[in-house]
């Protein structure tokens, strides 16, 4: 087996979004009854802040330092995001603190060998975090240890592990203070010194735990670890150190959540059509935003483009302190089929999706013909574009529809008559008989009409009809 360890030392800092990349930010932890700086960014270091420094001393150097306590839950969530991306390279994934372990021996052949796989992984533009600290070893414990202490190390054979690990301090092997004290008490300080002692003697002096740790480290004993399985649904949150009171600014932290969603979908070769956003405030109830799309997708940049349009209409009751993204439904990408005989409408789809996001879904509709010869009932609304897999061919026009005007009045308008002739801004000249319509008896709105094309003195082309029962004239539409 070959285990690849990916170490992310700045993960405690990366789980928070500061709002400004240049703002000094630090993460603190409790140690021996006092708060100390656990991690800080480059801007904080420029102000003299350093990891291990007492919080009071750091604030004395820079009072405006943005602070947050370490959050194990968010760090685990961030590791799972990275695991969703790493799922493309291995189906055997395990976790250590700030570290991801991938068994890549089984998938190396699919990529053309270990070296090719590592190169692809390190240069993957979709990687959610920089893969700078990594190591390869036959055991997960050795890979994790080397990634933290000697990034870039690659050990292919088990028999070579002892030589690579021998000068590493025992303090990096275990956090069991009692065990470390016992080993240091008999003069052991490095892994190599512990390995030089006979195993029975080492076990007798410090206990069997030390022998088991060393055997697992060198691959002599199995090192069982729980394997991660991708969740069925996507749900992530992002805590904002800097509160946001303008909806449009939310697109910047949202990019991180959308990248995580894209990794989740790519890892399953899946797509989704509905995103659920929640923006949390200190006092007001959470703001909700439903982001729907005409066709399923998995691209973060497409999701973000539509989100920008939605945010233009979002009204925030107060500043946002945390944001959440949830996707409940997704489907395999291979289930999305295109009709061979229907032209692609990707450009139309993108325009209509942006329009719906900006104006609201209820404001953008397509039109469809209805099999009814009454012009005012011969059309209806439909989705602007059919959902994927529901594309249909062009609808057949109703008989005689080609002679109808493009502009129909919402309701026929009754025209006055003078000397028995219809009148609209002057006496109308009837130029052509259009058609006779007798229909609608089944719904109580039956009509019997004779349609004509007419022209008024101003030269306007009109579409009028005469009700054969009452003899009244009505204006129905206008020709261009």
């Amino acid at each position: 087996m070959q285990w690849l360890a990916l170490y992310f030392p700045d993960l405690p800092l990366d789980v928070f979004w500061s709002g400004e990349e240049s703002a000094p930010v630090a993460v603190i932890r409790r140690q021996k009854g006092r708060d100390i700086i656990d991690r800080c960014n480059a801007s904080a270091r420029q102000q003299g802040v350093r990891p291990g420094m007492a919080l009071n001393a750091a604030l004395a150097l820079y009072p405006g330092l943005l602070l947050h306590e370490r959050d194990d839950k968010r760090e685990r969530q961030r590791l799972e995001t990275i695991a969703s991306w790493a799922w493309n390279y291995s189906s055997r994934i395990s976790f250590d603190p700030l570290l991801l372990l991938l068994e890549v021996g089984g998938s190396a052949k699919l990529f053309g060998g270990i070296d090719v796989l590592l190169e692809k992984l390190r240069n993957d533009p979709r990687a959610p975090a920089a893969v700078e600290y990594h190591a390869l070893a036959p055991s997960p414990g050795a890979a994790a240890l080397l990634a933290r202490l000697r990034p870039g190390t690659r050990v292919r054979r088990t028999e070579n592990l002892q030589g690579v690990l021998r000068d590493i301090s025992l303090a990096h092997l275990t956090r069991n203070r009692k065990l470390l004290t016992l080993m240091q008490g008999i003069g052991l300080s490095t892994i190599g010194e512990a390995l030089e002692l006979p195993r029975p003697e080492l076990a007798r002096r410090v206990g069997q735990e030390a022998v088991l740790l060393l055997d697992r480290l060198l691959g002599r004993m199995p090192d069982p670890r729980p394997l991660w399985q991708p969740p069925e649904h996507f749900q992530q949150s992002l805590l904002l150190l800097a509160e946001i009171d303008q909806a449009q600014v939310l697109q910047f932290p949202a990019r991180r959540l959308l990248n995580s969603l894209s990794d989740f979908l790519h890892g399953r070769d899946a797509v989704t059509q509905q995103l659920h956003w929640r923006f949390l405030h200190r006092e007001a109830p959470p703001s909700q935003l439903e982001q729907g799309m005409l066709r399923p997708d998995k691209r973060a940049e497409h999701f973000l483009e539509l989100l920008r349009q939605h945010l233009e209409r979002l009204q925030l009751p107060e500043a946002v302190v945390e944001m959440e993204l949830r996707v409940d439904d997704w489907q395999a990408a291979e289930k999305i089929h295109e009709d061979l005989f229907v032209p692609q409408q990707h450009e139309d789809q993108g325009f209509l999706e942006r329009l719906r996001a900006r104006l609201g879904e209820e404001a953008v509709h397509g039109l469809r013909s209805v099999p009814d010869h009454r012009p005012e009932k011969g059309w209806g609304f439909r989705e602007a574009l059919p959902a994927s897999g529901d594309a249909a061919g062009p609808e057949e026009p109703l008989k005689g529809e080609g002679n109808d005007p493009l502009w129909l009045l919402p309701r026929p308008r009754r025209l006055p008559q003078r000397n028995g002739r219809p009148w609209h801004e002057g006496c109308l000249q009837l130029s052509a008989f259009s058609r006779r319509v007798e229909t609608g008896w089944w719904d109580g709105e039956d009509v019997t009409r004779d349609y004509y094309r007419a022209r008024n003195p101003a030269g306007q082309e009109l579409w009028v009809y005469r009700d054969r029962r009452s003899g009244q004239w009505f204006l129905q539409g206008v020709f261009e």
Side-chain angles (χ1 to χ4, degrees), residues 148-412:
R148 289 186 173 96
L149 302 177
R150 296 178 181 174
T153 303
R154 299 184 185 180
V155 182
R156 305 293 181 89
R157 301 173 65 86
T158 304
E159 53 267 28
N160 295 334
L161 276 176
Q162 183 169 339
V164 174
L165 300 171
R166 60 178 305 106
D167 58 344
I168 293 178
S169 171
L170 287 171
H172 297 297
L173 180 63
T174 179
R175 294 185 178 182
N176 186 332
R177 301 304 305 174
K178 181 179 179 181
L179 177 60
L180 283 174
T181 301
L182 287 173
M183 298 179 79
Q184 291 170 355
I186 60 174
L188 304 178
S189 60
T190 66
I191 293 176
E193 291 173 348
L195 292 173
E196 289 175 359
L197 280 180
R199 288 161 52 88
E201 183 65 18
L202 180 63
R204 186 181 66 82
R205 292 191 177 192
V206 299
Q208 192 64 36
E209 181 183 351
V211 176
L212 183 61
L213 282 173
L214 292 170
D215 284 346
R216 287 178 171 175
L217 184 69
L218 297 177
R220 297 171 180 171
M221 291 282 291
D223 188 357
R225 293 170 180 257
L227 297 179
W228 175 76
Q229 290 296 321
E232 287 299 316
H233 305 286
F234 178 88
Q235 182 170 358
Q236 282 196 16
S237 62
L238 182 62
L239 186 65
L240 310 178
L241 286 179
E243 297 182 2
I244 295 177
D245 55 9
Q246 297 182 10
Q248 280 286 64
V249 181
L250 292 170
Q251 63 181 293
F252 299 105
R255 184 188 298 272
R256 177 182 292 186
L257 294 177
L258 290 173
N259 285 335
S260 298
L261 172 61
S262 182
D263 293 329
F264 173 89
L265 295 172
H266 275 90
R268 292 156 182 76
D269 193 21
V271 290
T272 188
Q273 202 166 352
Q274 189 75 28
L275 279 62
H276 308 275
W277 293 91
R278 291 178 75 236
F279 304 105
L280 281 67
H281 316 284
R282 291 196 182 278
E283 302 293 340
S287 300
Q288 309 278 349
L289 192 158
E290 299 295 324
Q291 181 180 340
M293 289 160 287
L294 293 174
R295 295 169 61 89
D297 211 319
K298 59 182 174 183
R299 297 169 297 157
E301 54 277 14
H302 182 64
F303 297 148
L304 184 61
E305 175 62 26
L306 296 182
L307 178 63
R308 290 192 185 103
Q309 311 299 328
H310 282 285
L311 291 175
E312 289 186 1
R313 298 189 299 117
L314 182 64
Q315 299 294 324
L316 297 174
E318 62 178 58
V320 177
V321 298
E322 186 174 2
M323 54 195 306
E324 297 178 355
L325 173 60
R326 188 183 85 253
V327 170
D328 297 325
D329 300 313
W330 53 270
Q331 58 191 110
E334 63 267 21
K335 293 183 180 179
I336 306 302
H337 301 293
E338 300 288 354
D339 193 322
L340 179 62
F341 301 105
V342 176
Q344 298 297 308
Q345 297 179 330
H346 293 304
E347 293 184 5
D348 291 343
Q349 171 204 339
F351 169 75
L352 288 172
E353 284 186 326
R354 292 191 296 272
L355 196 63
R356 280 161 52 111
R358 176 169 293 190
L359 302 180
E361 294 185 8
E362 68 285 352
V364 182
H365 295 281
L367 297 178
R368 61 182 177 88
S369 68
V370 176
D372 195 315
H373 288 282
R374 291 167 292 187
E376 65 272 21
K377 295 183 177 294
W379 62 275
F381 290 117
R382 65 168 174 82
E383 284 291 329
L385 276 181
S388 177
D390 296 334
E395 297 177 355
E396 290 292 333
L398 298 176
K399 185 177 181 180
E401 202 173 26
N403 297 323
D404 295 353
L406 292 178
W407 179 21
L408 293 180
L409 274 66
R411 304 179 72 176

